[in-house]
Amino acid sequence: MIKRILNSLLNILLYPFKLILRFVIRLLKRLKFSIAFKISASYLLIYIIIILIVAVSTSAGCMVFEFQKFERNTINQDVENIKREFPDFKGNTSMSSSIKSFEIYDDSLNSVYPYNNDKRYSDNIIVVLENLLYNREYVYSTDFEANNRDYYLNISYDAELMINDAFKIIVLVLVSGAVGLLIFVPIISNTSYRLIGPIKNMTEITKTITVNNINTRLDVKGTQDELKELSQTFNEMMDRIEQGYKFQQQFVSDASHELRTPIAVIKGYVNMLDRWGKNDKAVLEESIGAIKNETDNMQDLIEKLLFIARSDKGNLAYSKEDFKISTILYEIEKETKMIDVNHKLYFKFYDDANIYGDIKRIKQAIRIIIDNSIKYTPASGYIMVSGFLQDDYYIIKIEDTGIGIEKKDLNKIFDRLYRAEQSRSREIGGHGLGLSIAKIIVLGHKGKIRVKSTIGKGSEFSIMLPYIN
Ligand code: ADP
């Protein structure tokens, strides 16, 4: 009960201090110190600590030196005199004037001269320091032999002068340190500001960067090493952002361009219908057919664009499950044979494997590649689809004897809306999005997609999917 009351009392008493402490901490957190100020303050702190260490160690060193000199010149003489007169001190011999007192103890460390029952012999360094600081006396301890017995001696000297000398040294060093500070402060603040200058510059330039001047870069010349590295890293990041931004802009412009053509075609047919097609059955049928075709085309394009946009946003969800790859491969074989009667089709699945993935999406990716082979292989050409295990992957290889792809186009065909020159005709169709979608799907299943091609001879695409053992 009493303890609780005391605790509450203590809490009440300490409350104002706690409030002040909280206020100070909050204030310090809010205060915004510049890096230059912090660097200068750190240098200053180090300087002050060094000066203090120098002051204390110099004066301590001087004191030790003085005491050693004192011991050689005075104390040894006094000890000899005391030993000579022991045990009867009649003041025959002269002692140094700075002796305040001396005590002698026997070998059981009991006081024998001047007899004082409370006093005990001590040569403890702590006691020596305590005496030095509080009583301003230096206690010298030694032992000697007399009448076949050991005796211990403590002599107290007045250390006022030596302490004053030490204090003067401390003051001297501190005053010189303070004078040094006057020179040091402008130098360190100037150095810190010069060191931080490039950062200020970077902040100013970075503030001005917008989409309209996205090509602005930081000046990497003349800065310090780490700052130079920071500027270079920042510039590299800006390069990537600019590239992404330009790519996005190009994509939007290409996609609008792709949509413009079917809209123009639809508009043309609508105008034709409006003018003279209402009563002309042939014009009516042709227009309806063309409009249907173009709207299908547009729908296909928009769905592909949405797929890519969803993938970019990370919103593409796969409903993955374990399944046998043979199930979709045989389905694809059946469907392809049904829709394509113009080519010589061969299907050969050597192995089967369990795959963990989205059946619909994987089928979509394989279909995209087979549809391309159909599109880019002249009639009566060969299209061969095989499936087999190799190392950690199940490989679905689609080979054709089609128009092939030029070497320079090989690493671009997976880019969005890219179409190799020889395939850019409206008759063939396509928007240059199929392979980007196939790539997204295959990568989404931790797989790989490879292509080999020879212009005029044919192409070979391989979808590699990791399988479950
Ligand atoms: P597209 O809709 O134009 O076919 P894709 O992204 O599927 O778009 O293909 C991109 C480009 O790659 C095609 O325009 C074509 O130039 C080339 N390509 C893809 N597959 C083949 C192939 N089997 N033979 C020749 N060229 C191909």
Side-chain angles (χ1 to χ4, degrees), residues 300 304 368-377 398-400 402-406 409 412-424 428-438 451 453 458-461:
D300 177 56
K304 282 176 175 164
I368 287 171
I369 306 222
I370 295 180
D371 286 350
N372 277 351
S373 288
I374 297 173
K375 260 192 317 195
Y376 301 115
T377 304
I398 299 114
E399 296 160 87
D400 64 51
I403 58 170
I405 304 159
E406 280 200 68
D409 291 324
K412 292 190 197 146
I413 54 171
F414 292 97
D415 291 351
R416 293 153 190 199
L417 295 162
Y418 186 82
R419 311 191 66 204
E421 219 158 287
Q422 72 271 19
S423 49
R424 280 184 211 151
I428 294 181
H431 305 288
L433 290 172
L435 287 180
S436 328
I437 291 174
V451 57
S453 190
S459 312
E460 178 190 305
F461 283 83

Side-chain angles (χ1 to χ4, degrees), residues 201-214 216:
N201 206 12
M202 283 181 206
T203 317
E204 290 311 314
I205 294 176
T206 313
K207 269 185 199 162
T208 62
I209 298 178
T210 62
V211 283
N212 299 324
N213 59 348
I214 201 159
T216 308

